[in-house]
Amino acid sequence: MPLITRFAPSPTGYLHLGHAFSALTAWRRARVGGGRFLLRLEDIDATRCRPEFAEAILEDLAWLGLDWDGDVRVQSAHLAEYRAVLDNLSARGLLYPCFCTRAEIARSVAAPHGPDGPIYPGICRDLSPAGRAARIAAGTPFALRLDMARARAAIRAPLAFDEEGEGPVHCTPEMFGDVVLGRKDTPVSYHLCVTHDDALQGVTLVTRGIDLKPATHVHRLLQALMGWPAPRYAHHPLLTDEHGRRLAKRDLAATLRDLRARGVTAEEVRARATPLAGPPRCAN
Ligand code: GLU
């Protein structure tokens, strides 16, 4: 089976060295193995994504010398597909509307924290159908949360994802609690869109930063619930300096555009965006 991998940035700003590293990691994997490299713009969050950043991503990647196979998938053009997944899960009783504001949740939680912050204490999980209907009818905004206990019960078998170089990783998505899959301002969540699209696009190897590894526990659960295939995962370390330390803010903040304007060449960025290479050299 040919390898299919992808780079899936969110156009919330200009690409920086960390992005270049991630994109190059995926691109090199595809290109050395005769596989396919896909580009996807994860622009569902209309409050943070901007078209000019999307355009800049394509331009910066081309400047870096990366090419991609097929059309760029732009998530905001596919809302109906994600909505259909929400409807499917909802019809199976796996979602519930949550009317809590962030402030209410923060106040009510002396609660344990998960990888993404406080775990939702379940305030709206047991609202009566009439209570829910009344609030919806009154126009109270709500998010759609996955009922984690029900979702786990729907999948009896233990779940694992296959991490390259590590083997099967036992999944514990409950560490996130009842995750939000849809929201008032962002119609569908990252977890849902990313998993849907990797399945739809036939991605066989997900390459992305290690900071997203915990989220994979939720993604594997969604794959099992929706009957989607499970790709392999290769979570790469975050870009470090020559001493193996995480990049300084100053280096991380430097966008590819800044570097380019300062006379750094694409070859130099490519060399820098490789584990354990030296810092980028600047003309001034
Ligand atoms: N869109 C996500 C981000 O920019 C990455 C998604 C992924 O690679 O799975 O952080």
mmCIF file of all heavy atoms in Angstrom, residues 6-12 19 22 40-43 75 190 194-195 198 206-209 211-212 215-216 219 233 235-236, ligand 1:
data_model
loop_
_atom_site.group_PDB
_atom_site.id
_atom_site.type_symbol
_atom_site.label_atom_id
_atom_site.label_comp_id
_atom_site.label_asym_id
_atom_site.label_seq_id
_atom_site.Cartn_x
_atom_site.Cartn_y
_atom_site.Cartn_z
ATOM 1 N N ARG A 6 0.510 13.767 5.258
ATOM 2 C CA ARG A 6 -0.013 15.118 5.024
ATOM 3 C C ARG A 6 0.547 16.128 5.997
ATOM 4 O O ARG A 6 1.077 15.789 7.061
ATOM 5 C CB ARG A 6 -1.541 15.088 5.065
ATOM 6 C CG ARG A 6 -2.302 15.035 6.370
ATOM 7 C CD ARG A 6 -1.750 14.299 7.509
ATOM 8 N NE ARG A 6 -2.623 14.267 8.654
ATOM 9 C CZ ARG A 6 -2.448 14.973 9.774
ATOM 10 N NH1 ARG A 6 -1.413 15.749 9.938
ATOM 11 N NH2 ARG A 6 -3.308 14.883 10.776
ATOM 12 N N PHE A 7 0.417 17.401 5.603
ATOM 13 C CA PHE A 7 0.705 18.529 6.496
ATOM 14 C C PHE A 7 -0.616 19.282 6.577
ATOM 15 O O PHE A 7 -1.243 19.542 5.548
ATOM 16 C CB PHE A 7 1.820 19.380 5.898
ATOM 17 C CG PHE A 7 2.141 20.625 6.693
ATOM 18 C CD1 PHE A 7 2.426 20.541 8.041
ATOM 19 C CD2 PHE A 7 2.182 21.871 6.068
ATOM 20 C CE1 PHE A 7 2.730 21.694 8.778
ATOM 21 C CE2 PHE A 7 2.487 23.016 6.789
ATOM 22 C CZ PHE A 7 2.762 22.930 8.147
ATOM 23 N N ALA A 8 -1.046 19.596 7.799
ATOM 24 C CA ALA A 8 -2.400 20.131 7.977
ATOM 25 C C ALA A 8 -2.395 21.375 8.876
ATOM 26 O O ALA A 8 -2.923 21.351 9.985
ATOM 27 C CB ALA A 8 -3.295 19.044 8.569
ATOM 28 N N PRO A 9 -1.795 22.475 8.416
ATOM 29 C CA PRO A 9 -1.710 23.662 9.272
ATOM 30 C C PRO A 9 -3.051 24.390 9.389
ATOM 31 O O PRO A 9 -3.922 24.254 8.528
ATOM 32 C CB PRO A 9 -0.703 24.543 8.527
ATOM 33 C CG PRO A 9 -0.865 24.158 7.093
ATOM 34 C CD PRO A 9 -1.214 22.693 7.084
ATOM 35 N N SER A 10 -3.183 25.142 10.460
ATOM 36 C CA SER A 10 -4.338 26.030 10.626
ATOM 37 C C SER A 10 -3.883 27.439 10.277
ATOM 38 O O SER A 10 -2.896 27.918 10.849
ATOM 39 C CB SER A 10 -4.833 25.998 12.070
ATOM 40 O OG SER A 10 -5.211 24.684 12.398
ATOM 41 N N PRO A 11 -4.558 28.104 9.355
ATOM 42 C CA PRO A 11 -4.108 29.440 8.941
ATOM 43 C C PRO A 11 -4.461 30.532 9.948
ATOM 44 O O PRO A 11 -5.258 31.422 9.683
ATOM 45 C CB PRO A 11 -4.799 29.646 7.591
ATOM 46 C CG PRO A 11 -5.988 28.744 7.614
ATOM 47 C CD PRO A 11 -5.688 27.614 8.548
ATOM 48 N N THR A 12 -3.834 30.419 11.133
ATOM 49 C CA THR A 12 -4.079 31.413 12.181
ATOM 50 C C THR A 12 -2.911 32.389 12.276
ATOM 51 O O THR A 12 -2.887 33.248 13.147
ATOM 52 C CB THR A 12 -4.253 30.719 13.548
ATOM 53 O OG1 THR A 12 -3.105 29.882 13.771
ATOM 54 C CG2 THR A 12 -5.493 29.861 13.597
ATOM 55 N N HIS A 19 6.743 24.985 11.946
ATOM 56 C CA HIS A 19 5.884 24.483 10.866
ATOM 57 C C HIS A 19 6.718 23.908 9.729
ATOM 58 O O HIS A 19 6.379 22.878 9.150
ATOM 59 C CB HIS A 19 5.009 25.607 10.286
ATOM 60 C CG HIS A 19 3.988 26.142 11.224
ATOM 61 N ND1 HIS A 19 4.034 27.425 11.711
ATOM 62 C CD2 HIS A 19 2.885 25.578 11.747
ATOM 63 C CE1 HIS A 19 2.999 27.622 12.493
ATOM 64 N NE2 HIS A 19 2.283 26.527 12.542
ATOM 65 N N SER A 22 7.812 20.527 10.561
ATOM 66 C CA SER A 22 6.729 19.561 10.489
ATOM 67 C C SER A 22 6.388 19.220 9.031
ATOM 68 O O SER A 22 6.228 18.051 8.663
ATOM 69 C CB SER A 22 5.508 20.162 11.193
ATOM 70 O OG SER A 22 4.648 19.170 11.604
ATOM 71 N N ARG A 40 -3.491 20.161 3.631
ATOM 72 C CA ARG A 40 -4.866 20.436 4.068
ATOM 73 C C ARG A 40 -4.860 21.687 4.937
ATOM 74 O O ARG A 40 -4.025 21.817 5.834
ATOM 75 C CB ARG A 40 -5.349 19.231 4.877
ATOM 76 C CG ARG A 40 -6.778 19.318 5.275
ATOM 77 C CD ARG A 40 -7.285 17.967 5.720
ATOM 78 N NE ARG A 40 -6.813 17.607 7.038
ATOM 79 C CZ ARG A 40 -6.395 16.393 7.367
ATOM 80 N NH1 ARG A 40 -6.356 15.402 6.508
ATOM 81 N NH2 ARG A 40 -5.995 16.160 8.598
ATOM 82 N N LEU A 41 -5.782 22.582 4.681
ATOM 83 C CA LEU A 41 -5.880 23.799 5.495
ATOM 84 C C LEU A 41 -7.001 23.614 6.510
ATOM 85 O O LEU A 41 -8.174 23.451 6.132
ATOM 86 C CB LEU A 41 -6.145 25.012 4.608
ATOM 87 C CG LEU A 41 -4.995 25.375 3.664
ATOM 88 C CD1 LEU A 41 -5.397 26.537 2.759
ATOM 89 C CD2 LEU A 41 -3.723 25.738 4.447
ATOM 90 N N GLU A 42 -6.644 23.617 7.770
ATOM 91 C CA GLU A 42 -7.623 23.377 8.830
ATOM 92 C C GLU A 42 -8.128 24.729 9.333
ATOM 93 O O GLU A 42 -7.654 25.265 10.336
ATOM 94 C CB GLU A 42 -6.978 22.518 9.921
ATOM 95 C CG GLU A 42 -6.429 21.221 9.309
ATOM 96 C CD GLU A 42 -6.402 20.032 10.246
ATOM 97 O OE1 GLU A 42 -6.094 20.214 11.434
ATOM 98 O OE2 GLU A 42 -6.703 18.923 9.768
ATOM 99 N N ASP A 43 -9.073 25.262 8.588
ATOM 100 C CA ASP A 43 -9.518 26.640 8.809
ATOM 101 C C ASP A 43 -10.948 26.717 9.339
ATOM 102 O O ASP A 43 -11.706 27.624 8.997
ATOM 103 C CB ASP A 43 -9.422 27.422 7.482
ATOM 104 C CG ASP A 43 -10.344 26.840 6.425
ATOM 105 O OD1 ASP A 43 -10.779 25.672 6.587
ATOM 106 O OD2 ASP A 43 -10.650 27.535 5.446
ATOM 107 N N GLN A 75 -10.845 22.899 4.773
ATOM 108 C CA GLN A 75 -11.918 22.328 5.606
ATOM 109 C C GLN A 75 -13.198 23.153 5.624
ATOM 110 O O GLN A 75 -14.292 22.600 5.646
ATOM 111 C CB GLN A 75 -11.400 22.111 7.031
ATOM 112 C CG GLN A 75 -10.414 20.962 7.114
ATOM 113 C CD GLN A 75 -10.082 20.550 8.526
ATOM 114 O OE1 GLN A 75 -10.064 21.390 9.433
ATOM 115 N NE2 GLN A 75 -9.784 19.279 8.714
ATOM 116 N N TYR A 190 -11.659 20.482 16.023
ATOM 117 C CA TYR A 190 -10.444 19.945 15.423
ATOM 118 C C TYR A 190 -10.456 18.418 15.449
ATOM 119 O O TYR A 190 -10.177 17.765 14.434
ATOM 120 C CB TYR A 190 -9.232 20.501 16.190
ATOM 121 C CG TYR A 190 -8.006 19.639 16.075
ATOM 122 C CD1 TYR A 190 -7.341 19.512 14.860
ATOM 123 C CD2 TYR A 190 -7.525 18.923 17.174
ATOM 124 C CE1 TYR A 190 -6.222 18.692 14.734
ATOM 125 C CE2 TYR A 190 -6.410 18.107 17.064
ATOM 126 C CZ TYR A 190 -5.766 17.991 15.846
ATOM 127 O OH TYR A 190 -4.664 17.172 15.723
ATOM 128 N N VAL A 194 -10.194 16.552 11.794
ATOM 129 C CA VAL A 194 -8.901 15.960 11.454
ATOM 130 C C VAL A 194 -9.059 14.452 11.247
ATOM 131 O O VAL A 194 -8.493 13.860 10.321
ATOM 132 C CB VAL A 194 -7.847 16.308 12.538
ATOM 133 C CG1 VAL A 194 -7.926 15.409 13.736
ATOM 134 C CG2 VAL A 194 -6.448 16.263 11.997
ATOM 135 N N THR A 195 -9.866 13.830 12.083
ATOM 136 C CA THR A 195 -10.034 12.380 11.995
ATOM 137 C C THR A 195 -10.845 12.015 10.765
ATOM 138 O O THR A 195 -10.531 11.068 10.039
ATOM 139 C CB THR A 195 -10.735 11.870 13.282
ATOM 140 O OG1 THR A 195 -10.168 12.538 14.404
ATOM 141 C CG2 THR A 195 -10.537 10.395 13.455
ATOM 142 N N ASP A 198 -8.522 12.618 7.609
ATOM 143 C CA ASP A 198 -7.466 11.621 7.436
ATOM 144 C C ASP A 198 -8.069 10.332 6.874
ATOM 145 O O ASP A 198 -7.485 9.677 6.016
ATOM 146 C CB ASP A 198 -6.728 11.351 8.758
ATOM 147 C CG ASP A 198 -5.756 12.482 9.114
ATOM 148 O OD1 ASP A 198 -5.319 13.207 8.192
ATOM 149 O OD2 ASP A 198 -5.438 12.653 10.305
ATOM 150 N N VAL A 206 0.109 9.489 9.792
ATOM 151 C CA VAL A 206 -0.080 10.856 10.294
ATOM 152 C C VAL A 206 1.236 11.305 10.915
ATOM 153 O O VAL A 206 1.693 10.721 11.890
ATOM 154 C CB VAL A 206 -1.222 10.908 11.342
ATOM 155 C CG1 VAL A 206 -1.273 12.277 12.007
ATOM 156 C CG2 VAL A 206 -2.553 10.578 10.698
ATOM 157 N N THR A 207 1.861 12.317 10.293
ATOM 158 C CA THR A 207 3.073 12.889 10.885
ATOM 159 C C THR A 207 2.695 14.243 11.446
ATOM 160 O O THR A 207 2.117 15.068 10.731
ATOM 161 C CB THR A 207 4.173 13.084 9.815
ATOM 162 O OG1 THR A 207 3.576 13.625 8.662
ATOM 163 C CG2 THR A 207 4.862 11.794 9.469
ATOM 164 N N ARG A 208 2.986 14.472 12.692
ATOM 165 C CA ARG A 208 2.704 15.775 13.321
ATOM 166 C C ARG A 208 3.477 15.852 14.619
ATOM 167 O O ARG A 208 4.049 14.860 15.073
ATOM 168 C CB ARG A 208 1.196 15.947 13.541
ATOM 169 C CG ARG A 208 0.604 14.912 14.445
ATOM 170 C CD ARG A 208 -0.903 15.109 14.574
ATOM 171 N NE ARG A 208 -1.500 14.024 15.338
ATOM 172 C CZ ARG A 208 -2.767 13.677 15.280
ATOM 173 N NH1 ARG A 208 -3.599 14.326 14.485
ATOM 174 N NH2 ARG A 208 -3.238 12.697 16.008
ATOM 175 N N GLY A 209 3.461 17.045 15.226
ATOM 176 C CA GLY A 209 4.265 17.287 16.425
ATOM 177 C C GLY A 209 3.809 16.446 17.611
ATOM 178 O O GLY A 209 2.628 16.097 17.743
ATOM 179 N N ASP A 211 3.324 17.319 20.477
ATOM 180 C CA ASP A 211 2.345 18.007 21.328
ATOM 181 C C ASP A 211 0.923 17.533 21.029
ATOM 182 O O ASP A 211 0.031 17.684 21.859
ATOM 183 C CB ASP A 211 2.462 19.541 21.172
ATOM 184 C CG ASP A 211 2.446 19.994 19.725
ATOM 185 O OD1 ASP A 211 2.885 19.224 18.832
ATOM 186 O OD2 ASP A 211 1.978 21.113 19.451
ATOM 187 N N LEU A 212 0.711 16.940 19.848
ATOM 188 C CA LEU A 212 -0.636 16.463 19.505
ATOM 189 C C LEU A 212 -0.828 14.981 19.812
ATOM 190 O O LEU A 212 -1.907 14.427 19.564
ATOM 191 C CB LEU A 212 -0.944 16.746 18.024
ATOM 192 C CG LEU A 212 -1.205 18.230 17.721
ATOM 193 C CD1 LEU A 212 -1.281 18.485 16.225
ATOM 194 C CD2 LEU A 212 -2.491 18.697 18.403
ATOM 195 N N ALA A 215 -3.911 13.976 21.893
ATOM 196 C CA ALA A 215 -5.192 14.088 21.170
ATOM 197 C C ALA A 215 -5.483 12.826 20.366
ATOM 198 O O ALA A 215 -6.651 12.512 20.077
ATOM 199 C CB ALA A 215 -5.157 15.307 20.245
ATOM 200 N N THR A 216 -4.439 12.086 20.027
ATOM 201 C CA THR A 216 -4.621 10.868 19.226
ATOM 202 C C THR A 216 -5.490 9.840 19.967
ATOM 203 O O THR A 216 -6.174 9.030 19.353
ATOM 204 C CB THR A 216 -3.244 10.273 18.850
ATOM 205 O OG1 THR A 216 -2.475 11.326 18.273
ATOM 206 C CG2 THR A 216 -3.359 9.149 17.853
ATOM 207 N N HIS A 219 -8.813 10.719 18.887
ATOM 208 C CA HIS A 219 -8.974 10.444 17.451
ATOM 209 C C HIS A 219 -9.202 8.947 17.212
ATOM 210 O O HIS A 219 -10.046 8.562 16.398
ATOM 211 C CB HIS A 219 -7.748 10.933 16.672
ATOM 212 C CG HIS A 219 -7.517 12.403 16.837
ATOM 213 N ND1 HIS A 219 -6.448 13.067 16.325
ATOM 214 C CD2 HIS A 219 -8.244 13.347 17.506
ATOM 215 C CE1 HIS A 219 -6.521 14.349 16.641
ATOM 216 N NE2 HIS A 219 -7.595 14.534 17.376
ATOM 217 N N TYR A 233 0.896 6.411 13.190
ATOM 218 C CA TYR A 233 1.244 7.760 13.643
ATOM 219 C C TYR A 233 2.748 7.869 13.827
ATOM 220 O O TYR A 233 3.401 6.917 14.265
ATOM 221 C CB TYR A 233 0.541 8.088 14.967
ATOM 222 C CG TYR A 233 -0.953 8.265 14.780
ATOM 223 C CD1 TYR A 233 -1.806 7.167 14.795
ATOM 224 C CD2 TYR A 233 -1.501 9.518 14.519
ATOM 225 C CE1 TYR A 233 -3.177 7.319 14.572
ATOM 226 C CE2 TYR A 233 -2.857 9.677 14.303
ATOM 227 C CZ TYR A 233 -3.689 8.579 14.326
ATOM 228 O OH TYR A 233 -5.031 8.727 14.104
ATOM 229 N N HIS A 235 4.614 10.835 15.608
ATOM 230 C CA HIS A 235 4.660 12.160 16.249
ATOM 231 C C HIS A 235 6.123 12.560 16.385
ATOM 232 O O HIS A 235 6.903 11.845 17.024
ATOM 233 C CB HIS A 235 3.964 12.112 17.610
ATOM 234 C CG HIS A 235 2.477 11.902 17.493
ATOM 235 N ND1 HIS A 235 1.880 10.674 17.607
ATOM 236 C CD2 HIS A 235 1.485 12.793 17.225
ATOM 237 C CE1 HIS A 235 0.568 10.807 17.440
ATOM 238 N NE2 HIS A 235 0.295 12.081 17.202
ATOM 239 N N HIS A 236 6.469 13.667 15.744
ATOM 240 C CA HIS A 236 7.882 14.043 15.754
ATOM 241 C C HIS A 236 8.175 14.987 16.914
ATOM 242 O O HIS A 236 7.298 15.722 17.374
ATOM 243 C CB HIS A 236 8.293 14.668 14.415
ATOM 244 C CG HIS A 236 7.509 15.889 14.046
ATOM 245 N ND1 HIS A 236 7.660 17.086 14.692
ATOM 246 C CD2 HIS A 236 6.554 16.093 13.105
ATOM 247 C CE1 HIS A 236 6.836 17.982 14.161
ATOM 248 N NE2 HIS A 236 6.150 17.397 13.201
HETATM 249 N N1 GLU B 1 -4.237 21.868 12.323
HETATM 250 C C1 GLU B 1 -3.439 21.407 13.415
HETATM 251 C C2 GLU B 1 -2.483 22.497 13.835
HETATM 252 O O1 GLU B 1 -2.174 23.381 13.039
HETATM 253 C C3 GLU B 1 -2.603 20.180 13.107
HETATM 254 C C4 GLU B 1 -3.423 18.996 12.806
HETATM 255 C C5 GLU B 1 -2.701 17.678 12.647
HETATM 256 O O2 GLU B 1 -1.594 17.651 12.095
HETATM 257 O O3 GLU B 1 -3.262 16.686 13.015
HETATM 258 O O4 GLU B 1 -2.025 22.469 14.952
#
